[in-house]
Amino acid sequence: MELVIIAAAIMLGLGALGAAVGMGLLGGKLIEATARQPELGPMLQGKMFLLAGLIDAVPIIGVGIAMYLIFVVAPGVGA
Amino acid sequence: MAGENPASTTEYIQHHLQNLVYGNHPEHGWGFAHSAQEAADMGFWAIHVDSMLWSIGLGSLFCLMFLRAAKKAHTGVPTGWLNCVEMIVEFIDGAVKDSFHGRNKMVAPLALTIFVWIFLMNLMDLLPVDLIPSLLALTGVEYQKIVPSTDPNVTLGMALAVFIMMIYYSFKIKGGGFVKELTMHPFNHWAFIPVNLFMETVGLLAKPFSLGLRLFGNMYAGEMIFILIATMFAAGAGAGFISGGLHAELFGEQTSALFWLVIFALVCTVCGLNLKGKISTGKTVLLSMAFMAIGGGLFALGGGLMQWGWAVFHILVITLQAFIFMVLTVVYLSMAHEDH
């Protein structure tokens, strides 16, 4: 059962890692593009939020599954 | 804590993740399921009554509220609710104009319905997790999940409706072109038809699946975190006045939903007074913290602050997910309308 905790940890960690890289690229490019053409700012920001939501979905689903694993599938392991 | 004192955190969480199911049990006949096992025994033809009622109720609420605004609409400067509705409609109109290039009268109203409906359903997540389930537990309803979008049946059902519309408009606009798109697309040669068909079908089916699962996953994870923070209230009900809470002193192990309601009402009153400008923000924070500390102890105070913090973050998530579902629906329908 201890493996469940490890699985949850990998799930949370790698999910966060990927999302962080994605968010970083996204935000960086947004600022770059807005600096080049400030008048496109609002339009780009809308698209950025859409993509941020898409990126956000994967790790947050991972968090949900990880929480389920930790607290429902394997409660009290190592506690 | 819905009616009874859950023996452990796990039971509490599982209780909160269980829908109110109505179906035909092989032994007990038609009726509500009294445990997760009974709900599972009812098989496929069982209805999640809470998801159905809440989602249909919120859908009717949306229709009624917008109908009222539409009837009152005039060319002057809008105020109040009418102003709010006009803002939403303009926002959706802009978003649809950006990403939909076909000719279809139905897409913009569809987008408006999807956005507001999903937003309302997600908004139920911001109500305190125990409030409505424990109130209903007083009237004898055992299980209640008030956020319909944490039920995969609801989100995947909506995605299925979008999928059916995609197929319908693809055939209507493109006719045989749709079949050609499915069979001749990546490799334009008759020998590759099976390969093309497989790849395009997978791509086509992945769209509604990811659409529904994304919304479900986000709301489920959010709800899960609310529930986990709420378990801190249970953890705090131990010994002592401030550390364990007035509640534990008064009722011991027995849980009384009314007590939590009184505390909740007190905190709400303080916040309301602050909104009206009767008392300062500093006093509001201190008073609510004092009520929560007396009511539930220090653990509950921490839990309350964390609930609040997560709720504030969650406002972004629920709006964003409603928006994404809407935009992707429009984009998919736009793809169905592209005639080559």
Side-chain angles (χ1 to χ4, degrees):
Chain A
M1 275 308 248
E2 281 80 6
L3 276 178
V4 173
I5 304 287
I6 301 289
I10 294 173
M11 208 180 283
L12 282 169
L14 289 186
L17 187 71
V21 171
M23 288 284 186
L25 283 175
L26 191 61
K29 294 278 179 195
L30 172 78
I31 291 171
E32 236 171 63
T34 320
R36 267 172 211 266
Q37 273 179 301
E39 68 275 12
L40 283 183
M43 191 266 275
L44 289 175
Q45 204 172 32
K47 289 203 163 48
M48 199 265 311
F49 270 117
L50 179 69
L51 289 171
L54 289 181
I55 294 174
D56 208 35
V58 181
I60 221 89
I61 292 170
V63 170
I65 298 173
M67 292 294 172
Y68 188 78
L69 286 184
I70 295 173
F71 290 98
V72 179
V73 176
V77 173
Chain B
M1 278 143 275
E4 82 273 46
N5 204 5
S8 68
T9 314
T10 313
E11 263 176 47
Y12 176 75
I13 295 172
Q14 275 166 350
H15 185 268
H16 267 275
L17 293 178
Q18 175 63 40
N19 282 96
L20 182 66
V21 184
Y22 184 85
N24 190 3
H25 193 269
E27 282 157 35
H28 310 304
W30 289 95
F32 289 107
H34 298 293
S35 67
Q37 187 55 44
E38 273 188 30
D41 287 342
M42 283 173 181
F44 182 72
W45 294 108
I47 282 186
H48 286 180
V49 182
D50 46 359
S51 295
M52 294 292 281
L53 286 181
W54 282 106
S55 56
I56 293 173
L58 288 170
S60 327
L61 180 76
F62 152 70
C63 288
L64 280 176
M65 295 300 274
F66 273 60
L67 185 70
R68 260 185 64 196
K71 276 189 177 156
K72 276 197 282 181
H74 52 80
T75 50
V77 179
T79 49
W81 175 240
L82 184 58
N83 193 10
C84 179
V85 169
E86 281 192 15
M87 264 173 64
I88 298 172
V89 170
E90 262 169 37
F91 168 69
I92 301 293
D93 194 43
V96 172
K97 266 184 189 146
D98 274 348
S99 43
F100 187 76
H101 307 295
R103 291 167 68 80
N104 194 331
K105 274 186 187 168
M106 206 197 59
V107 171
L110 174 79
L112 178 72
T113 312
I114 285 181
F115 178 72
V116 182
W117 195 24
I118 293 181
F119 179 72
L120 283 176
M121 291 203 284
N122 293 353
L123 199 62
M124 303 305 289
D125 220 359
L126 295 187
L127 289 178
V129 274
D130 272 321
L131 182 64
I132 291 177
S134 52
L135 271 183
L136 281 170
L138 290 180
T139 62
V141 180
E142 280 176 272
Y143 296 103
Q144 193 71 15
K145 249 175 94 177
I146 60 165
V147 195
S149 45
T150 54
D151 187 345
N153 298 309
V154 170
T155 58
L156 286 173
M158 282 195 293
L160 185 68
V162 172
F163 182 64
I164 291 170
M165 265 188 299
M166 275 163 62
I167 301 286
Y168 173 76
Y169 281 115
S170 291
F171 270 115
K172 194 181 170 193
I173 307 288
K174 298 174 192 162
F178 182 50
V179 178
K180 207 175 167 189
E181 205 173 88
L182 283 181
T183 49
M184 293 295 199
H185 191 241
F187 310 109
N188 197 358
H189 190 270
W190 59 265
F192 281 106
I193 284 181
V195 182
N196 289 343
L197 192 62
F198 173 73
M199 285 167 72
E200 289 289 306
T201 312
V202 169
L204 193 69
L205 290 179
K207 283 176 192 166
F209 197 65
S210 68
L211 191 65
L213 225 51
R214 179 180 305 112
L215 179 61
F216 162 69
N218 269 280
M219 299 327 292
Y220 183 80
E223 178 83 350
M224 194 78 194
I225 290 170
F226 274 123
I227 295 171
L228 284 177
I229 299 173
T231 55
M232 289 192 144
F233 284 86
F241 187 71
I242 290 295
S243 66
L246 183 62
H247 178 260
E249 287 290 305
L250 283 178
F251 301 101
E253 286 296 300
Q254 224 68 44
T255 314
S256 153
L258 270 175
F259 177 80
W260 295 114
L261 270 182
V262 171
I263 297 284
F264 182 66
L266 276 174
V267 174
C268 282
T269 320
V270 171
C271 293
L273 281 176
N274 179 39
L275 277 180
K276 282 188 179 166
K278 295 266 169 65
I279 50 174
S280 68
T281 308
K283 265 187 194 165
T284 310
V285 173
L286 276 179
L287 272 175
S288 350
M289 281 169 83
F291 284 138
M292 280 150 83
I294 292 169
L298 287 181
F299 272 106
L301 178 62
L305 287 178
M306 280 162 76
Q307 292 273 24
W308 182 79
W310 178 244
V312 169
F313 177 70
H314 214 56
I315 294 174
L316 175 76
V317 175
I318 63 174
T319 323
L320 206 59
Q321 287 308 317
F323 180 65
I324 286 175
F325 198 105
M326 184 226 32
V327 169
L328 286 181
T329 304
V330 173
V331 168
Y332 291 157
L333 285 178
S334 177
M335 281 157 80
H337 279 76
E338 267 167 23
D339 203 359
H340 298 292

